[in-house]
Amino acid sequence: MSISRFDAIENALMRESIDVKLPSSKISDFFASNVFTSETMRAYLAEDTFFGVMEVIKAGKKINLELADKVAVAMQEWAISKGATSYTHWFQPLTGATAQKHDTFFVPSFEQTKGIEKFKGSALIQQEPDGSSFPSGGLRVTFEARGYTAWDPSSPAFIMTVGSAKTLCIPTIFVSYNGEALDFKVPLLKTQRLINDAAVAVCQYFDKAVTNVVPTLGWEQEYFLVDEALYFARPDLVATGRTVLGAAPPKGQQLDDHYFGSIPERVHNFMLDFETEALKLGITISTRHNEVAPGQYECAPVFSDVNTAVDKNQLLMEVMEKVAGRHSLKVLFHEKPYAGVNGSGKHNNWSLGTNTGVNLLAPGKTPESNLQFLTFFVNTIKALDNHADLLRSAIASAGNDHRLGANEAPPAIISAFIGSTLTNVLNSLIGKEEGKADTPDLMDIVASIPNLERDNTDRNRTSPFAFTGNKFEFRAVGSSATCARPMVVLNAIVAQQLKDFKVAVDALIEGGKAQEEAILEVLKGYIKDAQAILFEGDNYSQEWADEAEKRGLSNVKTTAHALKFMVSDSARELFISNGIYRTEELDAHYEVLLEKYTMDIDIESKILEELVVTQIIPFAINYQNNLLDNIQGLSNLQLQTSLQERLLRNINTHLNELGDAVERMQTARAKAHEGADAEAHAIAYCDEVRPIFDDIRTHADALEQLVDDQSWPLPKYRELLFIR
Ligand code: ADP
Ligand code: MG
């Protein structure tokens, strides 16, 4: 569907805001009412069955069929009581989106005259969606194209409502016939185990009661809203999620008046609406506000374990898109919907929590708990120093290149900001403090770590990886991304680092050192090693880019080149030795991500070409014809025509440049396909095709500012950004 610019504007201006009625004024009345929570499960299951399931979840083991049958019966009974008529395995293929395949509970009798509702344990545990159209990077040979989804009991099932249809959704992993991961959840679950084991082992130095450590994630989701009619009048937004053309509006975000400003009523109602749906799904949205750019907003939930937090984010994005329809709005999750206007990210706040209720990245009140804090803090920084490039690759996508490669948001250089207090602590530990010649008493320094106020550390908004008082905030993640990719890497690199730490400390203890002394000695070495990754200044500045280069830090601005880091020798070693990926799995995931990138750029290139050739050029030519008629008429009367002629020439120059650039792009695209493999394709698209977008845009946007507004076909930036 495509709609004309002026119809779209008229539609958008006439919208009324839709009132939202809360199910109850008390949130507790409906919170998680659409989730098969452990409490619900307990109510529906016999005591021993319930504890059996809980045990399996806690130990991360496989569930047996007998137990699964009982859970399935309970789940079905609950789902039907909620009005659900069908169920689906809900999974996250490598496309980054979610997928589902619905089956009805209803099973007809043999004669098909009546039937019953039935849901068996086997259907709960495993399903076989026809997976052949999901990307697999060659993992599924065509004669065995089957993919399997398998229940992830650690993420609760829920009911998704679309209109009046209700479906029981069961979070699952997605694997190939041979058990290779076809999603990011499988590796994620593996790293969750891995970091648990590594962190529990390290915790034993400090507290023997720690038997379980869970990585935690609290994401912050940024997004843009645009009126549905305007959205449909922009084929580029529909096809790619971003505007590939469009001149900057005279008033953009220069005045900074949108940030934390009052939320427009229609938007407010949308927020209330999706938050209510989210609450029913057990997702607590705790903050909401306007973001920097006009039309940009943010929401953040209460954090939870990484696996369920990832699922909740994927689910919330789905819910937001659905609910937006009720308000005639479209949600844009793209990292850069509008050139020249702030992009969107998804900050990933990450920490480690113990079964004893301790946040391992929160400074403690005693010297011992501070040493524990310092251990996890320094090891995380060391892990980042070891594998900064790998973490960079985990946030690479065509959309995020607009942020990381450009002059905003975090840069493509990975570094950590820790604030002045902790910088001083680390410096004193390695004797780097000025004027202090004698060796300091290390335990005194550790004991002096103050309880860090959030404000103390949160000042630097330019850092991609900032310590914010009791967690690290990874800010370079793109707004449309699944958090699973960066979380797999973060969990894995910290887990490996904690393992190495344990080995080093144990060796010193065996050599006769006291435990405390041994820990401090190893940490000191790490602090010295990791200096290059620490940066407290302005990450957007050219000075930092220069300085980072001197320090040997990578600054890879495009996905096609950054993805390579995920298959480097050190990355392979990390993933394969820890059982997170098998070689062929890692190669396949790499290929899928390359192909996704190539496809994204290819689609952008084609829509750009189409808009230029079928809309912009014809409209500019029409306007030229008007000018020609006008000049003709004026000349007949022997009147001056210099203005018209200047305009005409100006338009003609841009038209010619535009035509040339489009031709160059076509040639580059054809040539890119000659590349030998996925990597060569991606690099050709990145280095040869993509740069021509900018040339095309320069001339197209110039035409937008020369041609009669009344005949311009595409909604302009001022309309997209300010009508709401
Ligand atoms: P910002 O100042 O970066 O906008 P917000 O208050 O919007 O910060 O978001 C903070 C985020 O950090 C929330 O999503 C919250 O759930 C998350 N968070 C808080 N504590 C933890 C923790 N221990 N582990 C993971 N995430 C956490
Ligand atoms: Mg943040």
Side-chain angles (χ1 to χ4, degrees):
M1 176 174 81
S2 189
I3 154 170
S4 92
R5 171 172 164 228
F6 293 97
D7 286 346
I9 293 172
E10 199 181 315
N11 277 338
L13 286 174
M14 282 180 359
R15 300 269 188 232
E16 285 184 19
S17 91
I18 310 283
D19 272 340
V20 176
K21 244 184 97 210
L22 291 184
S24 157
S25 56
K26 272 176 31 215
I27 291 177
S28 53
D29 286 347
F30 60 92
F31 181 68
S33 57
N34 285 344
V35 185
F36 194 60
T37 58
S38 47
E39 289 94 77
T40 316
M41 199 179 337
R42 187 167 193 170
Y44 276 85
L45 285 176
E47 191 94 329
D48 56 331
T49 317
F50 172 75
F51 284 110
V53 177
M54 283 300 149
E55 199 46 48
V56 167
I57 294 175
K58 223 177 111 203
K61 289 205 210 102
K62 273 215 173 88
I63 205 154
N64 67 38
L65 201 56
E66 191 192 338
L67 209 51
D69 268 329
K70 291 178 180 158
V71 178
V73 169
M75 233 186 233
Q76 185 201 31
E77 198 185 325
W78 169 76
I80 289 176
S81 80
K82 289 269 161 194
T85 50
S86 58
Y87 67 94
T88 177
H89 277 196
W90 184 78
F91 57 105
Q92 300 163 31
L94 296 168
T95 51
T98 57
Q100 37 197 281
K101 177 192 169 232
H102 293 230
D103 281 299
T104 165
F105 287 129
F106 180 75
V107 181
S109 64
F110 183 69
E111 304 81 16
Q112 306 217 351
T113 47
K114 50 190 189 306
I116 50 164
E117 266 66 36
K118 208 167 176 178
F119 184 44
K120 288 206 293 210
S122 53
L124 166 65
I125 295 184
Q126 189 170 309
Q127 250 189 340
E128 193 187 310
D130 172 25
S132 51
S133 49
F134 293 111
S136 72
L139 278 178
R140 272 167 309 156
V141 270
T142 28
F143 63 85
E144 194 41 279
R146 272 183 289 174
Y148 291 101
T149 53
W151 182 33
D152 166 18
S154 62
S155 187
F158 55 89
I159 287 169
M160 181 69 113
T161 313
V162 182
S164 55
K166 289 180 189 234
T167 306
L168 170 67
C169 297
I170 300 151
T172 56
I173 57 165
F174 185 36
V175 294
S176 76
Y177 182 68
N178 293 320
E180 287 113 347
L182 297 175
D183 68 1
F184 298 113
K185 198 181 184 59
V186 173
L188 183 68
L189 289 169
K190 288 180 180 169
T191 64
Q192 234 168 254
R193 288 266 98 205
L194 193 72
I195 200 165
N196 170 70
D197 295 348
V200 167
V202 169
C203 281
Q204 300 309 301
Y205 293 134
F206 310 101
D207 183 358
K208 299 259 185 277
V210 174
T211 54
N212 212 1
V213 173
V214 182
T216 51
L217 166 65
W219 36 263
E220 301 160 54
Q221 178 72 56
E222 289 183 332
Y223 59 96
F224 279 84
L225 288 174
V226 62
D227 186 90
E228 193 176 74
L230 294 165
Y231 170 88
F232 282 116
R234 290 286 313 214
D236 48 353
L237 272 184
V238 176
T240 71
R242 77 176 184 101
T243 53
V244 294
L245 298 167
K251 176 179 185 271
Q253 64 194 58
Q254 300 94 328
L255 301 178
D256 267 342
D257 50 358
H258 181 70
Y259 197 35
F260 285 84
S262 74
I263 301 171
E265 185 180 341
R266 186 170 159 213
V267 172
H268 199 280
N269 279 327
F270 159 70
M271 288 177 172
L272 199 62
D273 204 356
F274 86 72
E275 284 165 12
T276 306
E277 291 306 317
L279 285 165
K280 289 188 205 159
L281 289 164
I283 307 169
T284 324
I285 301 296
S286 59
T287 54
R288 66 166 100 107
H289 57 75
N290 288 359
E291 261 305 323
V292 180
Q296 191 187 28
Y297 308 90
E298 179 188 294
C299 64
V302 174
F303 69 94
S304 61
D305 73 277
V306 169
N307 180 37
T308 55
V310 168
D311 285 359
K312 283 177 181 178
N313 180 243
Q314 295 285 109
L315 182 55
L316 183 74
M317 292 202 289
E318 248 183 276
V319 168
M320 284 169 74
E321 280 175 339
K322 280 188 188 124
V323 172
R326 295 207 276 263
H327 300 262
S328 306
L329 290 166
K330 278 280 171 189
V331 190
L332 306 177
F333 288 117
H334 193 283
E335 284 74 14
K336 194 79 175 174
Y338 308 108
V341 174
N342 238 55
S344 302
K346 176 147 51 199
H347 296 176
N348 278 203
N349 295 272
W350 178 91
S351 190
L352 293 168
T354 68
N355 59 307
T356 53
V358 173
N359 175 353
L360 293 170
L361 287 173
K365 292 202 168 61
T366 63
E368 292 71 33
S369 56
N370 271 344
L371 187 58
Q372 174 175 291
F373 156 71
L374 205 63
T375 295
F376 285 92
F377 176 72
V378 171
N379 272 292
T380 306
I381 291 168
K382 179 71 167 76
L384 193 70
D385 185 58
N386 295 342
H387 293 287
D389 288 345
L390 180 56
L391 199 60
R392 166 67 185 91
S393 75
I395 47 168
S397 72
N400 215 18
D401 282 0
H402 293 277
R403 297 172 68 228
L404 306 183
N407 229 349
E408 66 156 76
I413 311 162
I414 300 288
S415 68
F417 169 86
I418 59 172
S420 56
T421 311
L422 284 165
T423 301
N424 289 338
V425 170
L426 298 195
N427 284 345
S428 344
L429 282 173
I430 56 171
K432 206 176 151 189
E433 245 191 358
E434 275 168 60
K436 275 201 180 158
D438 41 67
T439 24
D441 182 342
L442 299 185
M443 230 21 224
D444 278 355
I445 299 170
V446 173
S448 74
I449 297 176
N451 206 340
L452 296 159
E453 290 301 317
R454 190 189 161 87
D455 283 354
N456 222 336
T457 55
D458 204 26
R459 296 260 160 78
N460 190 333
R461 306 296 296 178
T462 68
S463 179
F465 198 85
F467 184 71
T468 53
N470 59 4
K471 60 193 180 313
F472 279 98
E473 179 168 354
F474 188 26
R475 299 195 177 118
V477 185
S479 48
S480 71
T482 160
C483 305
R485 267 173 77 201
M487 287 298 111
V488 163
V489 171
L490 196 53
N491 286 347
I493 64 178
V494 175
Q496 180 60 53
Q497 179 51 44
L498 290 170
K499 282 201 216 173
D500 295 344
F501 171 77
K502 175 98 173 43
V503 171
V505 171
D506 285 352
L508 289 181
I509 294 175
E510 216 147 280
K513 282 238 156 80
Q515 178 177 295
E516 223 166 61
E517 215 182 328
I519 290 174
L520 278 167
E521 188 175 321
V522 175
L523 291 181
K524 265 168 65 179
Y526 289 167
I527 298 168
K528 285 182 190 152
D529 287 351
Q531 288 296 308
I533 205 80
L534 297 174
F535 181 65
E536 302 287 300
D538 178 2
N539 289 258
Y540 301 172
S541 67
Q542 185 55 43
E543 291 82 64
W544 170 230
D546 298 340
E547 162 75 12
E549 195 180 342
K550 280 193 211 131
R551 293 190 189 183
L553 300 178
S554 309
N555 186 4
V556 178
K557 296 188 172 180
T558 54
T559 296
H561 296 278
L563 284 175
K564 240 193 183 110
F565 293 135
M566 71 183 274
V567 290
S568 69
D569 290 345
S570 60
R572 280 184 192 281
E573 168 67 25
L574 171 80
F575 285 140
I576 292 161
S577 70
N578 283 302
I580 301 165
Y581 285 110
R582 289 187 243 162
T583 303
E584 38 322 340
E585 265 178 316
L586 186 60
D587 289 334
H589 281 216
Y590 176 50
E591 198 175 309
V592 167
L593 291 169
L594 285 170
E595 278 169 0
K596 170 85 171 70
Y597 172 80
T598 303
M599 221 151 26
D600 285 346
I601 303 294
D602 189 55
I603 294 171
E604 287 188 355
S605 162
K606 286 177 179 154
I607 198 76
L608 181 60
E609 181 179 327
E610 186 190 318
L611 290 179
V612 167
V613 174
T614 68
Q615 301 210 28
I616 291 173
I617 294 179
F619 275 98
I621 291 177
N622 277 343
Y623 184 55
Q624 271 187 322
N625 287 338
N626 289 345
L627 288 171
L628 283 169
D629 287 348
N630 184 242
I631 291 171
Q632 193 73 63
L634 290 171
S635 304
N636 289 345
L637 298 172
Q638 283 165 4
L639 291 173
Q640 223 193 15
T641 58
S642 56
L643 166 74
Q644 287 80 348
E645 281 174 38
R646 242 186 300 130
L647 251 176
L648 201 60
R649 268 198 208 95
N650 215 344
I651 291 172
N652 218 37
T653 310
H654 289 299
L655 272 174
N656 282 316
E657 297 276 356
L658 203 51
D660 287 352
V662 168
E663 236 167 73
R664 273 189 285 128
M665 184 170 75
Q666 288 165 335
T667 314
R669 223 166 44 208
K671 224 172 136 229
H673 287 291
E674 291 166 13
D677 52 19
E679 198 177 274
H681 287 165
I683 288 177
Y685 265 90
C686 173
D687 296 350
E688 310 300 334
V689 180
R690 168 80 188 77
I692 305 173
F693 291 6
D694 298 337
D695 301 341
I696 295 179
R697 182 165 193 153
T698 306
H699 299 292
D701 290 356
L703 285 171
E704 180 184 325
Q705 288 170 306
L706 286 170
V707 173
D708 179 10
D709 182 63
Q710 285 307 309
S711 60
W712 192 257
L714 300 167
K716 297 189 170 181
Y717 267 28
R718 59 166 181 262
E719 291 140 11
L720 294 166
L721 286 166
F722 294 103
I723 300 182
R724 58 203 120 110

